[in-house]
Amino acid sequence: MGLDGLLALKVHADSPHYLACPLPSDIQTRIFNAASVLEKMLCYRDAGATVHVGFEILFPALLRFLNQKGFPFKFPGLMALNRKRLARFDPRILHGQTRLTLVHSLEALVRIIDFDRVGQHKVCGSMMGSSASTAAYMMHSSTCDMEAEEYLATVVRSTLDGDFGGVPSAYATPTFKVAWNLASLYSEMLLSHAFVRLLQVWDKGRLSDTLEDLIKAEEPLISCQLTIRVLQRLASLPSAGEAISYGFLALTKLASLPWLHLLDSRIAGTIEKGRRFLSKSLESNAEAGYLWVEKVTFSSPILSKTYRLAALKAAPSTHVRGTEV
């Protein structure tokens, strides 16, 4: 359970009439256990290493709300990030027509902005596709907005079949993907594709001569280091089939670089081993890993299957010349 879960429990415990059913008999025990665990977790968490969307404004808001409920949590380093983010923030800017990314996280601005003056930021009833931000707008606006209410009703209806009562933090896209992924192999996959594409463009004479020295000096070294790193990560075959697929998609690109021919047999062996693993994971309908990041960390069965299929079908790219590198 996260800070938001604890806050929800406490709000329900304090205001049981909000629910259409009786509160769990052990709700106070749940609150106590959640608070104890979260207090320990926050002591060891590195604020600077957290990548969740809006973290530096959402977490301080949650801590502020929980403090008001009697939970004075401390999170070293977080408030400095919060002050830096909001140092030049004027709440009045959200009262105008300029649509900032903060519209996606209005729930962090309760008692800071006037929610009666942000309705102009809606698109198809939502605040930048965020169910939490839209709910905050509905809860703290003095008038009922039927368009926003219908958006939230649609979000809830979309999760009723086979889900566990949660709603997506971003909707109406069925899959949220802005390249935020916790797996190192994901970044290495993107980097390998970029390196190969750079050489392909250079081979066609589409780059200026000023980049020639940089490419000659850096590209072979960096791509060799990248290939070895990917091979080392894949040697242990991470448990998440999706993460493995990132590695194989990287290798199929890197295999086209001429100076990596000494690693051809190892690359081919690793890819073949991975294909067998991925085939089994698809046959067994392996569970998707929690690798994707928005306001929360989430898994995506659609993306997981897509990447695994792409890795199985991928063939090594045609060799780029790179003759002068």
Side-chain angles (χ1 to χ4, degrees), residues 182-306:
L182 297 177
S184 298
L185 283 168
Y186 184 81
S187 299
E188 289 155 4
M189 174 190 70
L190 297 179
L191 188 58
S192 66
H193 282 230
F195 276 143
V196 172
R197 179 60 180 156
L198 176 64
L199 276 186
Q200 289 172 337
V201 172
W202 187 45
D203 277 345
K204 294 176 181 178
R206 296 179 182 173
L207 293 181
S208 63
D209 293 338
T210 57
L211 292 175
E212 183 174 336
D213 291 340
L214 178 63
I215 293 175
K216 287 182 177 180
E218 302 294 339
E219 174 109 358
L221 176 61
I222 294 175
S223 57
C224 283
Q225 292 174 334
L226 178 60
T227 303
I228 292 171
R229 184 180 301 171
V230 172
L231 288 169
Q232 289 174 337
R233 293 193 196 282
L234 291 174
S236 58
L237 288 182
S239 57
E242 183 182 341
I244 293 175
S245 66
Y246 306 152
F248 295 124
L249 288 169
L251 288 180
T252 55
K253 280 293 183 183
L254 292 168
S256 67
L257 301 178
W259 51 84
L260 294 177
H261 68 277
L262 293 177
L263 294 173
D264 281 351
S265 60
R266 185 174 176 187
I267 291 174
T270 301
I271 290 176
E272 181 56 33
K273 182 181 178 182
R275 288 190 196 282
R276 293 195 297 268
F277 182 91
L278 289 172
S279 294
K280 291 179 180 178
S281 73
L282 283 170
E283 291 171 2
S284 63
N285 198 25
E287 189 172 323
Y290 280 76
L291 300 173
W292 296 95
V293 176
E294 211 259 340
K295 290 182 182 178
V296 295
T297 304
F298 65 98
S299 65
S300 171
I302 294 175
L303 284 175
S304 179
K305 188 171 184 178
T306 298

Side-chain angles (χ1 to χ4, degrees), residues 45-289:
R45 187 160 185 173
D46 181 2
T50 304
V51 296
H52 292 78
V53 176
F55 165 79
E56 67 276 20
I57 61 168
L58 288 172
F59 255 60
L62 283 170
L63 291 176
R64 186 172 70 251
F65 299 150
L66 284 167
N67 185 62
Q68 295 166 358
K69 292 292 184 180
F71 301 99
F73 293 124
K74 302 295 181 183
F75 194 167
L78 177 61
M79 297 316 296
L81 282 176
N82 179 250
R83 287 191 294 271
K84 181 178 180 181
R85 174 67 188 272
L86 297 179
R88 293 181 291 177
F89 171 63
D90 182 347
R92 292 174 296 181
I93 196 170
L94 286 172
H95 299 161
Q97 297 298 321
T98 303
R99 186 171 292 125
L100 307 176
T101 55
L102 277 173
V103 172
H104 190 69
S105 303
L106 294 181
E107 66 271 30
L109 302 176
V110 174
R111 299 192 183 95
I112 296 177
I113 64 171
D114 182 352
F115 279 87
D116 284 334
R117 300 177 63 184
V118 297
Q120 69 275 14
H121 297 305
K122 286 184 304 167
V123 176
C124 298
S126 80
M127 290 297 178
M128 205 171 277
S130 168
S131 52
S133 185
T134 308
Y137 162 67
M138 284 286 293
M139 292 169 65
H140 298 283
S141 175
S142 63
T143 59
C144 180
D145 188 315
M146 297 304 296
E147 188 182 25
E149 183 175 344
E150 178 55 31
Y151 165 79
L152 291 174
T154 301
V155 173
V156 173
R157 284 196 298 267
S158 73
T159 63
L160 290 180
D161 296 328
D163 215 320
F164 299 99
V167 296
S169 62
Y171 187 89
T173 55
T175 299
F176 182 89
K177 178 178 180 293
V178 289
W180 285 324
N181 189 292
L182 297 177
S184 298
L185 283 168
Y186 184 81
S187 299
E188 289 155 4
M189 174 190 70
L190 297 179
L191 188 58
S192 66
H193 282 230
F195 276 143
V196 172
R197 179 60 180 156
L198 176 64
L199 276 186
Q200 289 172 337
V201 172
W202 187 45
D203 277 345
K204 294 176 181 178
R206 296 179 182 173
L207 293 181
S208 63
D209 293 338
T210 57
L211 292 175
E212 183 174 336
D213 291 340
L214 178 63
I215 293 175
K216 287 182 177 180
E218 302 294 339
E219 174 109 358
L221 176 61
I222 294 175
S223 57
C224 283
Q225 292 174 334
L226 178 60
T227 303
I228 292 171
R229 184 180 301 171
V230 172
L231 288 169
Q232 289 174 337
R233 293 193 196 282
L234 291 174
S236 58
L237 288 182
S239 57
E242 183 182 341
I244 293 175
S245 66
Y246 306 152
F248 295 124
L249 288 169
L251 288 180
T252 55
K253 280 293 183 183
L254 292 168
S256 67
L257 301 178
W259 51 84
L260 294 177
H261 68 277
L262 293 177
L263 294 173
D264 281 351
S265 60
R266 185 174 176 187
I267 291 174
T270 301
I271 290 176
E272 181 56 33
K273 182 181 178 182
R275 288 190 196 282
R276 293 195 297 268
F277 182 91
L278 289 172
S279 294
K280 291 179 180 178
S281 73
L282 283 170
E283 291 171 2
S284 63
N285 198 25
E287 189 172 323

